[in-house]
């Protein structure tokens, strides 16, 4: 009986354009992630009890493989796919936290440079009067705040700007991003994203 990786690569090769494995793997990218707490799904390789359901898509022919687990994606040995798996996992973690209406600080627990750049590239930072009609200015500002070593040096006006960007742009975008799916929480209380306290954004 073929092992799970053999099954996985066989299925990938069947829907890829290239005829050698390395080139075929390079055609694929992660495009969505869904959480299934019931763990009722099987990975395309046959492994049961899949909780995180990734979707990968072939950039050359549009073929899709779903659901596939993170460990199987990482078995392909592609740095690009590994980075995409990590990014989508971080994005889903952020979405779930927002859904639970937790007070979220802009620390490495929920954010990274990759997450902020994703939000910018996908249009979360819309042009407005506060960024001079240039969404990239929001990204530059947030990266500067995120990278500050001493968070207590962030000023009051800067904290208010962070809070505004979170509640008006990042939170609505992450909740409406169709590439991310997670069960709705049973109950909610107050708006979720908030700027950090004195010991961290």
């Amino acid at each position: 009986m073929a092992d799970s990786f053999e099954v996985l690569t066989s299925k990938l090769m069947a829907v890829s354009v290239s005829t050698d494995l390395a080139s075929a793997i390079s055609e694929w990218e992660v495009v969505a992630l869904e959480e299934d707490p019931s763990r009722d799904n099987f990975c395309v390789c046959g492994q049961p009890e899949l909780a995180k359901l990734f979707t990968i898509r072939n950039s050359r022919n549009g073929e899709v493989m779903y659901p596939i687990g993170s460990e199987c994606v990482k078995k392909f040995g592609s740095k690009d796919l590994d980075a995409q798996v990590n990014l989508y996992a971080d994005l889903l973690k952020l979405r779930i936290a927002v859904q639970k209406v937790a007070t979220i600080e802009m620390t490495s627990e929920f954010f990274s440079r990759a997450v902020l750049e994703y939000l910018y590239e996908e249009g979360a930072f819309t042009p407005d009067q506060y960024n001079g009609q240039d969404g990239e200015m929001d990204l530059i500002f947030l990266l500067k705040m995120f990278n500050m070593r001493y968070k207590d040096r962030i000023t009051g006006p800067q904290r208010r700007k962070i809070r505004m960007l979170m509640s008006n742009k990042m939170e609505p975008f992450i909740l409406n991003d169709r590439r991310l799916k997670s069960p709705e929480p049973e109950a909610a209380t107050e708006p979720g994203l908030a700027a950090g306290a004195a010991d961290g954004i």
Side-chain angles (χ1 to χ4, degrees):
M1 179 182 293
D3 64 26
S4 61
F5 184 65
E6 290 177 347
V7 172
L8 181 66
T9 53
S10 176
K11 290 188 175 183
L12 179 132
M13 292 301 296
V15 289
S16 297
V17 176
S18 300
T19 56
D20 67 278
L21 182 59
S23 297
I25 289 171
S26 70
E27 297 172 8
W28 293 83
E29 59 186 354
V30 177
V31 295
L33 173 57
E34 176 181 355
E35 182 184 58
D36 178 18
S38 70
R39 305 177 72 94
D40 287 338
N41 284 274
F42 287 78
C43 177
V44 294
C45 76
Q47 292 294 320
E49 299 184 350
L50 202 61
K52 296 291 191 296
L53 318 178
F54 286 85
T55 300
I56 61 174
R57 182 175 63 202
N58 189 296
S59 61
R60 295 186 62 184
N61 61 18
E63 291 283 351
V64 168
M65 292 181 68
Y66 167 89
I68 183 170
S70 61
E71 292 304 313
C72 277
V73 177
K74 290 182 177 182
K75 285 180 180 178
F76 290 134
S78 164
K79 291 182 178 179
D80 288 342
L81 285 174
D82 287 353
Q84 291 163 17
V85 163
N86 293 335
L87 170 61
Y88 273 83
D90 288 344
L91 290 166
L92 187 66
K93 181 181 179 182
L94 175 59
R95 176 188 169 85
I96 292 171
V98 172
Q99 285 180 307
K100 290 181 178 179
V101 201
T103 299
I104 300 173
E105 299 179 356
M106 206 178 100
T107 65
S108 57
E109 180 179 2
F110 296 107
F111 291 93
S112 65
R113 183 182 185 92
V115 166
L116 291 172
E117 289 178 343
Y118 170 91
L119 292 171
Y120 165 67
E121 291 167 0
E122 298 302 325
F125 303 132
T126 53
D128 58 33
Q129 60 180 320
Y130 302 107
N131 58 27
Q133 304 301 322
D134 184 356
E136 188 175 9
M137 298 307 295
D138 289 338
L139 172 65
I140 292 171
F141 169 76
L142 289 170
L143 286 173
K144 180 179 179 181
M145 297 298 101
F146 178 76
N147 289 329
M148 284 189 69
R149 182 174 181 181
Y150 301 107
K151 305 299 186 185
D152 57 345
R153 294 182 181 177
I154 297 174
T155 67
Q158 288 172 329
R159 291 182 185 280
R160 288 192 290 274
K161 183 174 181 178
I162 293 167
R163 189 174 297 112
M164 181 272 293
L165 289 171
M166 286 184 167
S167 62
N168 294 349
K169 296 189 177 184
M170 288 188 281
E171 177 181 328
F173 184 88
I174 206 75
L175 289 175
N176 290 287
D177 192 339
R178 295 185 177 182
R179 288 158 288 198
L180 305 169
K181 294 182 181 179
S182 53
E184 291 295 330
E186 294 183 0
T189 53
E190 299 177 0
L193 283 173
D199 59 347
I201 300 180

